[in-house]
Each structure stands twice: as C-alpha cells, then as structure tokens.
Amino acid sequence: MTDALAAGCERAVHIILPDGEILSAGRASLYVLDQVGWHALAAVLRRRPLVWLVEAGYRLVARHRRLLSRGLRPGGSG
C-alpha cells in the first residue's frame, strides 16, 4: 500500500479491483451495492449527474460519521 492510498483510506472506503483499478468513496459504495445484488439501483446511480449526488452524500456522511454513529446505536444517542 502506498502512502497516498493509506492517507486516502483514512478519509474514505477504497476497493481495489482485480485489474488494479481503485474505487473510492461513493463509487466504491456503488460497487458494493452492485455486488450485493442491487444491480439496477447501482447502474442508475452511476450515471451523471446522480453519481455526483452519491459522491456528495458520501462526503456528507463521512464528515459526520461520529455524530451519525451515535444516533444509530441501540438505545438512542448515548
């Protein structure tokens, strides 16, 4: 793993495909969505301008992940 990739992994999820292509953030999430069987939804969300919204949504969630994880814990916001 390169230093640049390690730094990127601190900010977003990354997937390295067998051919060496690296997907990160929203595009990596769409890849996972496709792999778990949501093919049609992933295909639609990969199209411009929707993929831009996916990336923006990923950044928003990533920026506030600590706050969001507190709200998702069983038993409330503790």
Side-chain angles (χ1 to χ4, degrees), residues 25-27 49-63:
R27 285 174 176 83
L50 295 178
V51 72
W52 300 333
L53 295 173
V54 169
E55 291 293 342
Y58 184 95
R59 285 192 306 272
L60 180 68
V61 170
R63 188 175 305 127

Side-chain angles (χ1 to χ4, degrees), residues 20-35:
E21 181 182 1
I22 299 174
L23 304 174
S24 66
R27 285 174 176 83
S29 298
L30 291 175
Y31 176 82
V32 171
L33 197 64
D34 184 64
Q35 293 300 300

Side-chain angles (χ1 to χ4, degrees), residues 4-16 22-25 28 58:
L5 181 56
C9 288
E10 291 180 15
R11 293 183 303 277
V13 66
H14 283 64
I15 295 175
I16 303 174
I22 299 174
L23 304 174
S24 66
Y58 184 95

